[in-house]
C-alpha cells in the first residue's frame, strides 16, 4: 500500500525520464492547465486526462506501487516509457493533493490496474507451481555449458597469442596497425562466446589514440587482459569465488543464487550507459540494517529505457539476492514488501584516504575492477588547475574527479550545492579517480542526483 501524502520530489520524478527531450516535455505538463479529472488512490494509482492535439484527451495512469518501479499506461501514440504525459502527471502529483486529490479511480484506470494485478498473480502462481528454471534437461544444459567453455578456451588461447605477438613486435605496432586489427580480434572473441573478452579487446584498440602516455596504459591493460585469460585457462586451480569472478568477467551468464537479504534499501544512484545495441541502467542500493551496498542492472534495447526505475532518494523494503563471485556487488531485486517512499536516511561516509584504501582492498578479490561504490563524508569540490577534486574538510587529502565527471553538468550542480561548505557525496572510486553520482547538503536536505 502506498502512503497517501508521502510524495516524491520533482527530481525523483524526472529521474524516470528516458531522455532529455522527454524530461523537458514532461516538465511543461507538470502544471494543472492541461489536466482534468486527476486523482490518486491509497493503492498507489495516479490517473488523469491530459488535453492533447486531438479532440479526445489522453488517458494516463501510473502504478507507483509496482514491484520494479512505476508502471505506466497512456492512450497517446508515444513509444517512450514513461511518455511525457506520465511524467507530467507524476510531477503534478508530486506538487501536492490540490491538483491530484485522493479518490476512486475511473473505470478505464481501474480496468488497467485489475489486469495488471491478475497477470502478476498468474505469474506468481506459475512460479510457485512450475518447475525450477533450467530443470527441463540437466544433461543437455551440461553439454551446452561444456561446448561454450570449449569455445571460450579456444578464444582465450588465440587472444594470448595475439598479445604475445604484440609485445614481441613492440607497442609502436599497435599505433601503426590502427583500430581494425583490434576490432577483428574482438569479433573473434564474440565468435568464441566470450563477450567480456571482446569488450576489453575493443578498449585496447582505443588506447593508442588516448593521448600522451598511451604506451604505459596499453601495457597495463594488456597485462590485465593476460591475467584474465590465464584465470580462465587455469580456473580449475582457483578458489571457487575467484573462479566465479573470472567467469563473470569473461562474459558467461550466471544467476543470483545468494541468500535473499531483506532490508530497507535506500536508492543511492541511478544512471544509464548506452551503445548502438543496448542501454544499461545501473542502480546502487544501500541496506540500512545490513550496511551493504548492492548493484542492480537492467537492460533495454537501443533507444528504449530499461524497465526497472528507482529514483534516487527513495527507500524500499525488499529482498535482494547476490550474484556469485569474489568481490561482486551485483544483486537481483526480489520480493518487495512496500512501495518506495522518500527517505531521510543517509549512508555512512568515509574519508578520501579510506575510499582509496577500500578500492585497493577490493582489487584483491577482483583485479579487473574499475571502481567501487563509496560515500565520502564532508568533502568540498575544489578546483585543481584545469581539473577538479574532492578535498577532505578535516584532512590534507583529496580524490581527483574522473575525466567523465568533469565533463558532466552534475559537477556544477555539486559545486552549487556545496557553496564552499562540506557535503556528503556518493559515487564510484577507481584508478581513474572519483565519479560523483549523488550528494547531500549539510544538515537536513534531500538527495541530489548528479548524473
Amino acid at each position: 500500500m502506498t502512503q497517501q501524502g508521502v510524495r516524491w520530489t520533482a527530481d525523483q520524478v524526472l529521474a524516470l525520464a528516458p531522455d532529455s527531450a522527454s524530461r523537458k516535455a514532461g516538465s511543461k505538463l507538470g502544471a494543472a492547465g492541461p489536466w482534468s479529472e486527476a486523482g490518486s488512490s491509497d493503492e498507489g494509482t495516479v490517473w488523469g486526462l491530459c488535453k492533447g492535439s486531438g479532440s479526445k484527451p489522453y488517458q494516463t495512469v501510473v502504478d507507483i506501487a509496482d514491484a520494479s518501479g512505476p508502471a505506466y499506461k497512456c492512450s497517446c501514440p508515444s513509444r517512450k516509457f514513461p511518455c511525457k504525459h506520465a511524467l507530467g502527471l507524476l510531477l503534478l502529483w508530486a506538487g501536492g493533493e490540490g491538483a491530484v486529490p485522493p479518490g476512486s479511480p475511473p473505470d478505464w484506470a481501474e480496468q488497467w490496474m485489475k489486469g495488471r494485478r491478475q497477470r502478476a498473480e498468474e505469474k506468481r502462481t506459475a512460479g510457485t507451481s512450475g518447475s525450477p528454471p533450467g530443470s527441463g534437461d540437466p544433461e543437455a544444459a551440461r553439454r551446452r555449458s561444456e561446448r561454450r567453455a570449449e569455445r571460450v578456451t579456444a578464444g582465450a588461447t588465440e587472444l594470448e597469442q595475439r598479445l604475445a605477438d604484440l609485445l614481441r613486435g613492440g607497442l609502436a605496432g599497435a599505433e601503426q596497425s590502427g583500430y581494425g586489427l583490434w576490432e577483428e580480434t574482438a569479433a573473434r572473441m564474440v565468435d568464441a562466446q566470450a563477450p567480456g573478452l571482446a569488450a576489453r579487446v575493443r578498449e585496447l584498440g582505443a588506447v593508442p589514440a588516448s593521448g600522451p602516455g598511451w604506451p604505459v596504459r596499453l601495457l597495463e591493460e594488456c597485462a590485465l587482459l593476460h591475467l584474465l585469460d590465464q584465470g580462465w585457462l587455469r580456473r580449475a586451480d582457483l578458489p571457487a569465488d575467484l573462479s566465479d569472478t573470472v567467469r563473470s568477467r569473461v562474459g558467461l551468464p550466471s544467476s543470483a543464487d545468494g541468500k535473499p537479504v531483506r532490508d530497507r534499501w535506500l536508492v543511492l544512484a541511478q544512471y544509464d550507459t548506452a551503445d548502438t545495441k543496448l542501454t544499461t541502467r545501473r542502480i546502487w542500493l544501500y541496506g540500512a540494517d545490513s550496511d551493504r551496498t548492492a548493484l542492480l542492472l537492467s537492460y533495454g534495447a537501443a533507444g528504449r529505457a530499461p524497465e526497472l526505475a528507482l529514483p534516487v532518494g527513495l527507500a524500499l523494503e525488499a529482498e535482494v539476492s547476490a550474484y556469485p563471485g569474489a568481490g561482486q556487488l551485483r544483486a537481483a531485486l526480489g520480493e518487495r514488501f512496500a512501495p518506495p517512499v522518500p527517505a531521510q536516511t543517509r549512508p555512512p561516509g568515509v574519508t578520501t584516504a579510506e575510499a582509496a584504501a577500500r578500492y585497493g582492498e577490493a582489487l584483491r578479490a577482483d583485479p579487473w575492477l574499475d571502481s567501487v561504490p563509496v560515500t565520502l563524508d564532508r568533502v568540498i569540490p575544489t578546483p585543481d588547475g584545469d581539473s577538479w577534486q574532492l578535498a577532505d574538510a578535516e584532512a590534507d587529502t583529496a580524490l581527483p574527479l574522473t575525466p567523465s565527471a568533469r565533463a558532466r553538468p552534475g559537477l556544477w550542480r555539486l559545486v552549487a550545492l556545496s557553496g564552499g561548505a562540506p557535503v556528503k557525496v556518493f559515487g564510484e572510486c577507481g584508478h581513474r579517480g572519483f565519479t560523483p553520482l549523488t550528494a547531500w547538503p549539510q544538515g537536513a536536505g534531500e538527495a541530489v542526483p548528479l548524473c
Side-chain angles (χ1 to χ4, degrees), residues 374-433:
V374 175
T375 300
L376 299 176
D377 205 13
R378 293 184 57 76
V379 292
I380 303 172
T382 308
D384 179 25
D386 294 333
S387 184
W388 283 80
Q389 61 184 7
L390 294 180
D392 268 304
E394 279 88 25
D396 189 22
T397 57
L399 283 175
L401 295 189
T402 58
S404 60
R406 299 197 299 267
R408 293 176 180 172
L411 169 60
W412 305 112
R413 197 173 192 183
L414 176 60
V415 172
L417 179 69
S418 166
V423 291
K424 182 186 286 277
V425 181
F426 170 79
E428 296 170 347
C429 179
H431 60 93
R432 296 183 180 89

Side-chain angles (χ1 to χ4, degrees), residues 4 6 69-70 80 90 107 117 123 133 155 223 226 232 301 312 326 437 444:
Q4 197 65 265
V6 179
K80 295 182 179 180
L90 285 177
D107 289 343
R117 297 187 190 110
K123 186 176 181 180
H226 166 68
W232 172 262
V312 172
L437 300 175

Side-chain angles (χ1 to χ4, degrees), residues 29 34 49-59 74-78 84-85:
L29 295 175
L49 300 177
C50 186
K51 183 179 180 181
S53 56
S55 58
K56 299 179 65 174
Y58 295 123
Q59 298 176 338
C74 185
S75 59
C76 76
S78 174
K84 63 182 181 180
H85 306 102

